[in-house]
Amino acid sequence: AVVSTQSGHYGRGFKRTLSILSLFSSQGLLTMKFLSVYLLALISITVSGQATSFQNKVEDLKRAFSAVLDDTSRELAGLTARLEDMEAERAELDRAHAWQALHMAAAAACRGSTASGGTGPWGNAVLAKENTRSCNQVCGATVFTSCDADVSIGGYTGRATSYTLRLGHFYNYGCDTPGNTDVKFDEVKAGGDDVFKDISSGNWFYRFCCCRKP
């Protein structure tokens, strides 16, 4: 239908041109100069129409491209936000695993420090030691009222590279006294990333109470 309409349009324009040329010819006005001017005007009108059509198409393409850019920008913003969330989740998981590894080391230290080996009718407990209280006091405030040991443990990051390199440290202050009251040895009062610190920042130990339910 579009082609037919355009063909009809061009056909009518061609007939109109012939009519005009015939009129000027019959009046003796059709000269080469006039014909040249007339044809140039006709070509100019045609080219102008095509240029306008081309410009409209360019504008359409610009709008379409702009819409694609907007959609892409939104998608990239969403992806960036998701990646940031994943990085935060990964960092939180690393912290949780680091504290878990420390707790398992504390449980092993308690197992080795307990004279009975940790026997009894109940599962024994490892509790974080408050820096200002003795383990007798910490254990006594729970159902695991008997203290078997106060263990202070710490370790260094990285793989061992020699047999003389110090990898960690431990100490047993006993159940009766608070011992060293440095707040850096108190896990409850520590920051989330403090588990990654070591002696270089003064974090020698974390202290734990080995408690048993009698």
Side-chain angles (χ1 to χ4, degrees), residues 97-110 126 153:
H97 284 164
W99 286 113
Q100 181 186 28
L102 178 63
H103 299 157
M104 294 175 71
C110 284
V126 177
I153 58 174

Side-chain angles (χ1 to χ4, degrees), residues 12-78:
R12 288 192 299 273
F14 181 70
K15 289 179 181 180
R16 188 179 303 110
T17 299
L18 288 179
S19 297
I20 293 171
L21 292 176
S22 296
L23 175 62
F24 277 90
S25 177
S26 65
Q27 299 295 324
L29 300 175
L30 186 60
T31 64
M32 286 301 298
K33 184 177 181 180
F34 174 81
L35 185 59
S36 298
V37 172
Y38 182 79
L39 289 176
L40 285 173
L42 186 63
I43 291 171
S44 176
I45 292 171
T46 302
V47 170
S48 176
Q50 291 177 342
T52 300
S53 176
F54 178 75
Q55 183 63 32
N56 290 338
K57 290 180 180 178
V58 169
E59 293 300 324
D60 289 342
L61 286 174
K62 285 182 178 179
R63 284 190 289 270
F65 185 67
S66 178
V68 171
L69 280 181
D70 290 342
D71 290 342
T72 303
S73 296
R74 283 192 292 270
E75 291 293 333
L76 286 176

Side-chain angles (χ1 to χ4, degrees), residues 75 148 155 168 182:
E75 291 293 333
D148 285 324
D182 191 332

Side-chain angles (χ1 to χ4, degrees), residues 140-158:
T142 72
V143 295
F144 303 96
T145 55
S146 296
C147 174
D148 285 324
D150 168 347
V151 297
S152 302
I153 58 174
Y156 295 92
T157 59

